[in-house]
Amino acid sequence: LVMLSVEREPVVAGTFYNADPKALKKQLDELFQQFNSKKTIENIAALIVPHAGYVYSGEVAASAYALLSPEANYDNVFIIGSSHHVAFQGASVYNKGHYKTPMGVVPVNLEIANALINQNDHFSYKEDAHAEEHTIEVQLPFLQHRLHNLKNIVPIVLGVKEYGLCERIASALQPYFNKNNLFVISTDLSHYPTDEMARFIDEHTVDAICSNKASELISALEYNRKQHIPNLYTGLCGWSSVLTLLYLCQGFDKMVFQKVKYMTSGEMAFHDKNRVVGYQSIVLKRDVGAEDLLSDEEKNILLESARKVIHSHLGNDYSGKSKNRDYAFDQSDSAFVSVYVGKELRGCIGQFSSHLKLDSLVKELAISAAFEDSRFTEIEAEELDDLKIEISVLTPMRKIHNIEDIELGKHGVYIIKEGRKGTFLPQVASKTGWSLEEFLGHLSRDKAHIELGKHGVYIIKEGRKGTFLPQVASKTGWSLEEFLGHLSRDKAHI
């Protein structure tokens, strides 16, 4: 028997994007143009991108695709989206032929498609799941336009109704989640609340996604559902696709989600802000260390930007040396700015959760550190020649269960207990020469004001629990490290 290839014809060309090949190329050129100066990333594992019509979400989608090197050489691009038209349980993989767009045929890896179907109970081919579905199709022209070596795609439409099924689907995809393949997750955010409410809901949802914890996303979805927000149809139309990605990430170290661009349909001149859809692009990077966050050029631009706003605040001109004043920085959750006069610290201010672009966040923190840190006197004009600035751009926080996971000089630490908080940046250990015990002791006592003999501690990990009352430290004379060590080992059996 000869199996005939049944090409999946485009169904939203002419509505979601231009149907004419030349007009579509022009449309894509215009969407990518403003992101041409962005540095590409070599270690991208996945993109989360919207799937509305290009006039609505094309700019947000292009902001993420622009981070791919045009010469990236992926074996396959797995495109995962959630069904908008057909209700079913499981994952439908197109295995009857290839996808087409006005820009040409996009080959489907039929070997992988058939293997997924034949080897997993939750995978099948459902014709109606792909027939009218736009969530996969709208991503294809972006890939065709950006990647010079686009080889194969694996188009998967999810019809999931329960959270647990996403984990089983992720398990089947796990062998393919490697450096040879790219995953594209297709989803929009909140549908149809007001613009103001959409931004509130979407911030909560996106933060949950970027936590890289499936449980956090599930909690956010449930929270949004229970709020009974007027006109909120869904907070994340592709929740099953995003949740599957989070389950795929389990067990991988150094996987970091990075926000790229956020907009709502209300930002379009012709759209009503009383009824909007939210769009966010996110890039998932693998094998990320702090040294990968910024290039030398970007570091210099940020340092000069911080120096310039401090000079300007004091009425001084500062031209700087950087030639690129319009560099397109991404959003950043966390950064600190420290200012010194000579070797003397004169201010240190940071922020753990921000939706500002990194350069804007650094400018804001530089002003706060130089003039608003109440622990120090303000920087004065005659001190500018001796001014030194340190900027710390932080990787996402990770909860640890063993203090031996802390690498002095590399890791900063944030501690919180009963509303008391304290932070030490990595350079504190390097500059003081403290041991780990001294580092944690000073952080707990001097920054968070947690005192042994005064505070009890409760610890829980994977169902194992332990408690020490305050008097345990007083009676034993243990140091903080010993106190925590005995609690973890003798009480919680961790």
Side-chain angles (χ1 to χ4, degrees):
L1 292 177
V2 177
M3 297 298 293
L4 295 178
S5 177
V6 180
E7 315 292 37
R8 195 276 192 183
E9 298 288 336
V11 295
V12 293
T15 52
F16 279 57
Y17 57 86
N18 275 302
D20 177 76
K22 291 182 179 179
L24 177 55
K25 182 182 183 303
K26 183 175 183 292
Q27 185 176 29
L28 289 164
D29 283 338
E30 291 172 351
L31 290 172
F32 277 93
Q33 185 175 9
Q34 64 175 298
F35 305 111
N36 287 341
S37 65
K38 292 181 75 68
K39 180 184 67 174
T40 60
I41 298 173
E42 300 300 325
N43 55 350
I44 294 178
L47 301 177
I48 300 177
V49 282
H51 54 230
Y54 287 9
V55 295
Y56 292 103
S57 67
E59 183 178 333
V60 177
S63 70
Y65 282 110
L67 295 173
L68 294 170
S69 168
E71 305 306 323
N73 196 25
Y74 295 104
D75 291 340
N76 304 282
V77 179
F78 286 73
I79 310 175
I80 305 176
S82 302
S83 176
H84 289 70
H85 301 285
V86 180
F88 64 98
Q89 273 285 75
S92 176
V93 190
Y94 194 83
N95 71 333
K96 300 304 177 186
H98 308 298
Y99 264 68
K100 289 177 67 177
T101 79
M103 299 172 72
V105 173
V106 186
V108 172
N109 190 322
L110 298 175
E111 182 179 349
I112 291 179
N114 287 323
L116 286 169
I117 292 170
N118 295 332
Q119 297 170 15
N120 301 280
D121 292 339
H122 306 296
F123 283 77
S124 63
Y125 166 67
K126 296 184 180 298
E127 181 179 359
D128 53 355
H130 295 266
E132 301 296 326
E133 185 57 59
H134 65 279
T135 187
I136 305 292
E137 180 184 329
V138 296
Q139 306 305 337
L140 299 180
F142 285 106
L143 290 164
Q144 289 173 296
H145 185 80
R146 186 61 178 176
L147 295 181
H148 297 165
N149 302 308
L150 180 60
K151 298 176 183 176
N152 296 290
I153 63 168
V154 182
I156 303 172
V157 177
L158 302 186
V160 176
K161 300 176 184 176
E162 59 184 67
Y163 299 137
L165 184 52
C166 294
E167 188 168 12
R168 296 190 287 276
I169 290 171
S171 179
L173 293 171
Q174 199 78 56
Y176 306 102
F177 190 59
N178 54 50
K179 293 181 180 180
N180 298 322
N181 299 316
L182 173 69
F183 278 66
V184 173
I185 307 301
S186 183
T187 187
D188 297 337
L189 295 174
S190 57
H191 283 55
Y192 314 134
T194 63
D195 188 87
E196 180 181 9
M197 185 55 67
R199 293 174 187 275
F200 172 77
I201 298 164
D202 294 343
E203 178 180 2
H204 186 219
T205 303
V206 170
D207 283 348
I209 294 170
C210 292
S211 74
N212 197 10
K213 296 177 182 176
S215 59
E216 290 289 330
L217 178 57
I218 292 171
S219 295
L221 294 171
E222 290 299 311
Y223 174 84
N224 290 338
R225 185 178 60 82
K226 293 175 182 177
Q227 296 310 299
H228 303 294
I229 295 168
N231 298 323
L232 180 65
Y233 176 75
T234 178
L236 185 67
C237 64
W239 66 264
S240 57
S241 301
V242 179
L243 187 59
T244 297
L245 177 63
L246 294 184
Y247 281 126
L248 272 171
C249 291
Q250 290 183 347
F252 287 89
D253 292 331
K254 297 184 178 180
M255 299 287 274
V256 174
F257 286 84
Q258 179 180 317
K259 304 167 193 172
V260 183
K261 187 174 183 63
Y262 174 79
M263 294 179 69
T264 73
S265 59
E267 295 181 53
M268 309 304 155
F270 52 84
H271 202 276
D272 184 1
K273 289 197 173 186
N274 291 319
R275 190 175 187 270
V276 306
V277 178
Y279 312 114
Q280 174 80 57
S281 55
I282 300 171
V283 59
L284 173 62
K285 300 183 287 188
R286 64 171 77 248
D287 301 326
V288 174
E291 65 277 4
D292 300 311
L293 291 179
L294 296 170
S295 68
D296 289 341
E297 180 188 11
E298 291 170 316
K299 293 173 185 176
N300 289 332
I301 291 171
L302 290 175
L303 285 167
E304 290 195 5
S305 178
R307 188 174 294 276
K308 184 175 182 179
V309 295
I310 293 173
H311 276 251
S312 178
H313 188 85
L314 291 170
N316 285 32
D317 290 330
Y318 180 79
S319 58
K321 302 176 183 178
S322 174
K323 296 180 182 178
N324 190 348
R325 284 293 169 197
D326 298 316
Y327 197 91
F329 284 95
D330 296 325
Q331 290 170 289
S332 177
D333 275 338
S334 309
F336 276 72
V337 174
S338 304
V339 294
Y340 298 80
V341 175
K343 295 183 178 180
E344 180 187 356
L345 179 64
R346 291 287 294 278
C348 179
I349 298 292
Q351 195 164 329
F352 278 120
S353 182
S354 171
H355 291 275
L356 295 173
K357 298 282 187 179
L358 180 55
D359 52 341
S360 298
L361 176 60
V362 165
K363 291 175 184 177
E364 184 177 286
L365 294 176
I367 291 294
S368 297
F371 306 108
E372 298 170 5
D373 192 336
S374 59
R375 299 168 296 173
F376 305 92
T377 57
E378 294 183 14
I379 300 295
E380 298 181 1
E382 56 267 25
E383 297 175 307
L384 289 175
D385 288 343
D386 296 319
L387 180 67
K388 292 185 173 71
I389 301 172
E390 283 185 358
I391 300 172
S392 301
V393 180
L394 311 184
T395 55
M397 282 192 287
R398 177 171 62 91
K399 187 175 181 180
I400 63 169
H401 302 283
N402 190 327
I403 61 174
E404 292 178 1
D405 292 340
I406 300 171
E407 295 183 42
L408 290 178
K410 180 179 180 181
H411 295 141
V413 177
Y414 173 71
I415 189 171
I416 180 170
K417 183 180 187 297
E418 297 174 353
R420 294 173 174 166
K421 308 172 185 177
T423 304
F424 271 160
L425 297 175
Q427 53 264 43
V428 171
S430 304
K431 291 179 178 179
T432 61
W434 287 334
S435 66
L436 179 59
E437 181 183 58
E438 292 171 324
F439 182 86
L440 293 174
H442 282 285
L443 174 60
S444 300
R445 182 176 62 252
D446 304 336
K447 290 290 185 177
H449 306 294
I450 298 170
E451 301 176 26
L452 289 178
K454 182 177 180 180
H455 297 120
V457 175
Y458 172 74
I459 188 171
I460 179 171
K461 181 177 185 286
E462 297 174 355
R464 295 173 177 173
K465 308 173 184 178
T467 304
F468 270 161
L469 298 176
Q471 52 266 41
V472 172
S474 304
K475 291 179 179 179
T476 60
W478 286 334
S479 67
L480 176 62
E481 187 177 33
E482 291 171 326
F483 183 87
L484 294 173
H486 282 286
L487 174 59
S488 299
R489 183 175 59 252
D490 303 336
K491 287 292 185 178
H493 305 294
I494 298 172

